[in-house]
């Protein structure tokens, strides 16, 4: 009896996968691309090179990048603590990590804007002690993006730490390696691909985030205006061509950056022997 080279059920599952990707992902994105064909190249360049548009792209991508880096650093620490230590109230902290997933982003934005505004508790404290204003500045956007993106890092790194074999650490220690050497030479190289995945997810979420940002950002053109808000503004002004051009540009830039991150992740996995 001949044996198939693939697992049973491959054809229906791959068919469902292609159908799902086509209906949910490819058709909406292709509609955006085809809509952009109505634009003349000169009109497209004129829209994208507008100073306000360039400023919004700078704000969106720079804040998302900074927030993803900070979320990756602290998310790794949180995942390490949750996996490696036992303490009272650990289930509560697990639920707290997932809280941004369940909380409506608009609610998170209102709460953050309330406490970080100049008259708020933390906002007044930061202004009086450090002279730093968070709300209605790019720093406020970074705070909001960290809040909604850190669970992606924690939940991506945590399974890898759970599956990591302690015998590798014991072998390194028995050979005379210090705890720092064990961490840098054994643990971190194995966790880094997952950490890179968490960073990519956090960055992608931050670039497209809207609800939690608009309240704390202040939405000041050239200072704290993000690309999603500018697209909504264009639509409210019935500037369909402008909104389409900005959305298409953001789509292309986001795709290229995520592709580069995935290529880097593949290279890291291959170099570390995980592929």
């Amino acid at each position: 009896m001949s044996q198939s080279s693939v697992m049973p059920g491959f054809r229906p599952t791959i068919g469902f996968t292609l159908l799902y990707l086509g209906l949910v992902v490819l058709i909406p994105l292709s509609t955006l691309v085809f809509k952009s064909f109505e634009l003349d190249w000169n009109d497209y360049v004129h829209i994208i090179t507008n100073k306000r548009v360039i400023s919004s792209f700078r704000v969106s991508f720079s804040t998302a990048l900074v927030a993803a880096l900070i979320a990756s650093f602290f998310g790794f620490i949180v995942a390490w603590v949750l996996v490696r230590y036992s303490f009272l109230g650990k289930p509560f902290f697990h639920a707290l990590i997932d809280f941004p997933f369940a909380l409506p982003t608009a609610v998170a934005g209102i709460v953050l804007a309330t406490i970080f505004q100049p008259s708020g508790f933390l906002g007044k404290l930061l202004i009086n002690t450090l002279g730093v204003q968070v709300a209605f500045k790019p720093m406020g956007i970074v705070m909001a993006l960290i809040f909604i993106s850190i669970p992606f890092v924690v939940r991506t790194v945590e399974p890898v730490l759970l599956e990591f074999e302690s015998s590798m650490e014991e072998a390194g220690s028995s050979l005379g390696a210090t705890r720092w050497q064990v961490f840098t030479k054994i643990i971190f190289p194995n966790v880094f691909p997952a950490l890179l995945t968490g960073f990519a997810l956090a960055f992608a979420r931050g670039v497209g985030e809207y609800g939690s940002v608009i309240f704390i950002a202040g939405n000041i053109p050239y200072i704290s205006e993000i690309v999603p808000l500018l697209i909504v503004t264009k639509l409210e002004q019935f500037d369909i061509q402008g909104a389409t051009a900005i959305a298409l540009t953001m789509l292309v830039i986001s795709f290229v950056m995520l592709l580069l991150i995935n290529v880097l992740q593949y290279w890291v996995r291959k170099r570390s022997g995980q592929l």
Side-chain angles (χ1 to χ4, degrees):
M1 185 175 181
S2 62
Q3 295 182 351
S4 176
S5 59
V6 295
M7 294 181 63
F10 172 76
R11 292 182 178 179
T13 53
I14 193 64
F16 174 79
T17 301
L18 294 176
L19 178 64
Y20 169 80
L21 290 176
L23 293 177
V24 179
V25 180
L26 296 180
I27 291 179
L29 294 182
S30 62
T31 303
L32 175 63
V33 175
F34 290 139
K35 186 68 177 179
S36 66
F37 289 159
E38 300 177 2
L39 283 171
D40 182 76
W41 174 252
N42 293 329
D43 294 334
Y44 172 79
V45 173
H46 177 73
I47 294 172
I48 296 304
T49 55
N50 182 272
K51 291 183 179 180
R52 184 176 177 181
V53 175
I54 294 176
S55 177
S56 65
F57 273 101
R58 176 183 55 81
V59 171
S60 289
F61 283 95
S62 62
T63 53
L65 179 62
V66 172
L69 290 173
I70 297 175
S72 298
F73 177 77
F74 288 103
F76 177 81
I77 295 176
V78 172
W80 179 273
V81 171
L82 292 177
V83 171
R84 292 301 181 104
Y85 301 102
S86 298
F87 51 89
L88 182 64
K90 189 174 180 179
F92 170 77
F93 283 99
H94 271 286
L96 196 62
I97 291 298
D98 294 330
F99 189 62
F101 286 142
L103 184 69
T105 55
V107 176
I110 294 173
V111 172
L112 292 173
T114 302
I115 63 176
F116 281 109
Q117 64 179 332
S119 60
F121 170 68
L122 291 179
K124 184 184 297 184
L125 180 64
L126 290 173
I127 291 176
N128 294 335
T129 56
L130 302 176
V132 176
Q133 180 180 338
V134 175
F136 317 132
K137 299 287 184 179
M139 188 178 297
I141 301 176
V142 172
M143 293 296 297
L145 295 183
I146 293 173
F147 176 81
I148 57 98
S149 62
I150 197 170
F152 289 95
V153 181
V154 176
R155 295 313 182 200
T156 305
V157 174
E158 190 177 14
V160 179
L161 290 174
L162 285 171
E163 296 177 359
F164 189 79
E165 297 181 3
S166 59
S167 59
M168 298 176 64
E169 300 178 53
E170 295 172 356
S173 299
S174 65
L175 294 174
T178 63
R179 298 188 66 178
W180 177 249
Q181 289 175 328
V182 170
F183 175 78
T184 56
K185 301 296 184 181
I186 299 176
I187 300 176
F188 187 75
N190 288 276
V191 178
F192 182 67
L195 184 62
L196 197 60
T197 301
F199 168 80
L201 293 174
F203 176 76
R205 176 66 187 274
V207 168
E209 180 59 23
Y210 178 79
S212 64
V213 173
I214 56 174
F215 295 101
I216 195 173
N219 310 318
I220 305 173
Y222 306 102
I223 297 177
S224 60
E225 187 177 45
I226 58 175
V227 175
L229 176 65
L230 187 59
I231 294 174
V232 173
T233 302
K234 294 285 186 181
L235 292 174
E236 290 176 347
Q237 296 172 351
F238 300 100
D239 185 4
I240 307 300
Q241 290 186 339
T244 302
I246 297 172
L248 178 64
T249 305
M250 190 174 190
L251 174 65
V252 173
I253 295 175
S254 300
F255 177 79
V256 171
M257 295 189 72
L258 290 176
L259 179 63
L260 292 176
I261 293 174
N262 287 329
V263 170
L264 178 61
Q265 181 187 12
Y266 175 81
W267 178 78
V268 171
R269 287 182 179 273
K270 188 174 182 179
R271 187 177 181 183
S272 61
Q274 299 182 23
L275 290 178

